[in-house]
Amino acid sequence: MAGYAKSQASDKVTNSRILVLGYDNNAALGRVKDQWSVACPPLHAAWLDAIGPGDWFAKTLIEKVPSGDTIGLVPCAISGEKIETFMKSGGSKYNWIVNRAKIAQQSGGVIDGIIFLQGESNNGDTSWPGKVKTLVNDLKTDLQLGDVPFIAGELLYSSSCAGHNKLVNQLPSQIKNCYVVSASGLVVDPSDTYWKLHFSHDSQVILGKRFAEKMIQALGW
């Protein structure tokens, strides 16, 4: 998830131990595509200036990381895309994800887990869980990840896609070491008056923390 709600000053307080692999060239942040820099929103497209779950995921997770270690985020979301866009067979962005992940590995990074929130564009598609399974298995194989935790997030309960959460919650039965993060109590961004699908700023903060808590649990930290 790239995010929609605008980032706030509190989100831009950085931690030198949290890095992000540049999603694009962002002159305002001095960020360069496919190069590491200190993480600060937006983690995804510069023009969005949005906060996503990755921001507070990392800020929460860093409290459990040994003092000499860092967290490297490799953002790979594209707004509005179906799962098919990211798949190895027929998708246009699978190699892009793999190449970015390999940059992280080749620079000394170890991929400990994957967080994922997608589904609005596949709302109600009963083949979606199987496609997610295929994508995850292909990534784990091609990047030699083993069974690292894969954590999926639910969609907003108040949105027209709320019914898709039944499919989101099927993922742990199909994917090894898979967990689901609840969207209970989270709300739509007030500026999203058309789609009514996007999480509010504060909900993104909570969502990121929930992803982190689940990852901490999955890693046994």
Side-chain angles (χ1 to χ4, degrees), residues 11-21 31 36-40 55 58-59 62-63 65-73:
D11 307 314
K12 296 180 182 292
V13 177
T14 61
N15 184 322
S16 61
R17 296 172 58 215
I18 303 175
L19 307 179
V20 63
L21 189 68
R31 186 172 295 157
W36 293 106
S37 64
V38 175
C40 180
D55 293 284
K59 289 178 179 180
I62 197 67
E63 300 299 326
V65 174
S67 59
D69 292 347
T70 60
I71 291 174
L73 300 171

Side-chain angles (χ1 to χ4, degrees), residues 64-142:
K64 292 289 186 177
V65 174
S67 59
D69 292 347
T70 60
I71 291 174
L73 300 171
V74 184
C76 293
I78 303 176
S79 297
E81 293 291 338
K82 291 187 174 183
I83 195 67
E84 288 83 355
T85 298
F86 305 100
M87 296 187 70
K88 185 174 184 177
S89 177
S92 61
K93 291 298 181 181
Y94 180 82
N95 288 336
W96 171 71
I97 294 173
V98 169
N99 289 339
R100 283 176 57 76
K102 285 184 176 179
I103 290 172
Q105 292 176 320
Q106 290 164 2
S107 58
V110 176
I111 299 175
D112 285 324
I114 302 169
I115 63 172
F116 172 90
L117 203 157
Q118 187 274 341
E120 291 91 344
S121 298
N122 291 89
N123 184 30
D125 177 3
T126 56
S127 68
W128 180 84
K131 291 174 180 176
V132 176
K133 175 183 178 180
T134 298
L135 170 60
V136 174
N137 287 345
D138 284 340
L139 288 172
K140 287 182 175 181
T141 298
D142 291 340

Side-chain angles (χ1 to χ4, degrees), residues 117 153-158 165 169 180-187 199 202-203 206-207 210:
L117 203 157
E154 289 186 330
L155 312 186
L156 275 173
Y157 290 8
S158 62
N165 286 328
N169 281 284
V180 172
V181 167
S182 170
S184 176
L186 305 185
V187 300
F199 292 84
D202 290 356
S203 291
I206 295 169
L207 187 63
R210 288 179 180 176

